[in-house]
Amino acid sequence: MVTVETQEQVPFKEAFRRIWVANPTGTVRSSFAAFGCLFMLGIQVAMFVMADNTWALLGVVALPLAGWFILRGWVYQRLPWRALGLLLFVLGAMVPFYLM
């Protein structure tokens, strides 16, 4: 298995290439999770504009960060980053629907 050095030593593009070679299936899953965050971002913006739900702004802020943490956590093999990304996804994607 290919190991990836710390973020300061390896640029993201090179680290992404290495992790793709090591585990393409996991990389595709992480990329889809990050894309899902962007998809939910569109839903949150629509919910803010059409339904006038101010809690949707929580999703507008949290979802791009969630996608970033999920993808970078996978590429650099940082479990806390991935966990934070999933927590932000749940917070940003689900909570505004319940606080409507």
Side-chain angles (χ1 to χ4, degrees), residues 14 18 55 57 60 68 71 76 100:
E14 177 63 23
R18 288 181 187 180
W55 287 104
L57 289 176
V60 171
W68 186 83
L71 191 59
Y76 289 113
M100 194 170 200

Side-chain angles (χ1 to χ4, degrees), residues 1-84:
M1 181 164 175
V2 176
T3 59
V4 178
E5 292 86 15
T6 62
Q7 182 178 358
E8 294 79 26
Q9 295 174 349
V10 178
F12 183 77
K13 184 177 180 180
E14 177 63 23
F16 191 86
R17 188 192 65 75
R18 288 181 187 180
I19 201 70
W20 176 263
V21 170
N23 190 353
T25 305
T27 307
V28 168
R29 277 190 232 145
S30 295
S31 298
F32 276 135
F35 178 75
C37 291
L38 292 177
F39 178 75
M40 284 302 296
L41 177 65
I43 292 174
Q44 295 297 331
V45 168
M47 197 165 83
F48 175 70
V49 171
M50 292 182 182
D52 197 30
N53 184 0
T54 55
W55 287 104
L57 289 176
L58 177 68
V60 171
V61 173
L63 287 170
L65 289 173
W68 186 83
F69 276 115
I70 289 171
L71 191 59
R72 296 227 13 148
W74 173 258
V75 168
Y76 289 113
Q77 296 297 304
R78 303 284 195 267
L79 187 60
W81 287 8
R82 285 186 271 174
L84 180 61

